[in-house]
Each structure stands twice: as C-alpha cells, then as structure tokens.
Amino acid sequence: MIGVDFGSNYTDVAYRKAGRLKFHSFESKAFSFDALQKLVRDGDSVAVTGAIAVVEKKNPGILRLGRKARVVKVGEIEAIARGARHLTGKTRMLVANVGTGTPFVFVDGDAARHVGGTGIGGGTLAGLGRLLLN
C-alpha cells in the first residue's frame, strides 16, 4: 500500500520499503506521477486523498496509475484518522493536521469526526514568511 496526499502546496507520499515506513514530501507543482509509478509494483494499492485525488477526470496521472495499481480514494478526514491511529497506536485522540489549513479531527475507535479548524496552516505561514522576509 502506498498513500498519497495531494495538497495544495505539497504532495506527501508514504510507503513501506524493506519493512520500514518511508515518507517523501514534494512541492505539488513539482510532483511527478512518473516518479510515483516507479514506486508502484503491479497489483499494489495506492490510497489517494486531497484536492487532486477527487478530480480524477481532470488528472491523467491518476488515470494512468489506475492501469498498474488499484487506486482507492480516501476522504481527507478518514485519512487523517487512519494515519494518526497507525502512527500513535491510540484509538481515542484529537488530531491537528497542519497542512495548507489545519483541521482538527476527533478520533474515537473506528469513528472520525471533523470538529473544527482554520484555513491557516503551514502553507499560509510559509507564504507570509516568504512575503515578509523575502
């Protein structure tokens, strides 16, 4: 299984290699589906979430990927909850996912609920820093 979060500013990829969990983050404008296809072996599953993932008909990269692997769309809140459960081993928590925005997700067992958040996140802070500090 390979997980891909297509964010507005960054695209994040998580996968296992030699039993170890690996993470890569790319600026979304520089992300390459060709590089992702090199990670995918025939028959793999690729879980996708984020803005680009839901616009499949406008994304030829996801359509090409679907010829080699099973592509599974996962809602962003569910993806945050699954990742938090996997990484922490906990089943009840409040998760702040700092990305372009910052949603807060309450996780209780298999249930996940978006409980609030803000449009301000890492992307906003990076943009403001770039404008203010050049």
Side-chain angles (χ1 to χ4, degrees):
M1 172 69 70
I2 297 171
V4 184
D5 177 9
F6 294 100
S8 299
N9 293 306
Y10 290 93
T11 295
D12 302 311
V13 179
Y15 62 97
R16 288 202 179 276
K17 183 174 183 179
R20 295 180 56 112
L21 192 56
K22 302 280 188 174
F23 298 98
H24 295 286
S25 189
F26 308 89
E27 283 193 42
S28 290
K29 63 185 176 191
F31 177 75
S32 163
F33 272 96
D34 293 334
L36 178 59
Q37 285 193 319
K38 289 177 184 174
L39 287 175
V40 177
R41 290 168 298 198
D42 287 333
D44 273 351
S45 292
V46 180
V48 296
T49 193
I52 294 173
V54 299
V55 196
E56 182 178 297
K57 290 183 177 158
K58 294 182 181 177
N59 191 325
I62 287 181
L63 295 174
R64 279 194 324 269
L65 189 60
R67 293 184 199 132
K68 188 173 184 181
R70 185 172 73 96
V71 177
V72 180
K73 289 183 235 164
V74 179
E76 203 144 358
I77 299 304
E78 180 60 28
I80 292 166
R82 286 184 191 182
R85 280 191 296 263
H86 179 77
L87 291 172
T88 66
K90 296 181 180 184
T91 58
R92 186 174 168 90
M93 67 196 112
L94 179 63
V95 180
N97 185 61
V98 180
T100 302
T102 305
F104 293 95
V105 177
F106 179 65
V107 180
D108 189 10
D110 288 336
R113 185 168 41 110
H114 180 248
V115 294
T118 176
I120 296 173
T124 302
L125 295 175
L128 284 172
R130 193 173 300 120
L131 287 172
L132 292 171
L133 304 171
N134 198 17

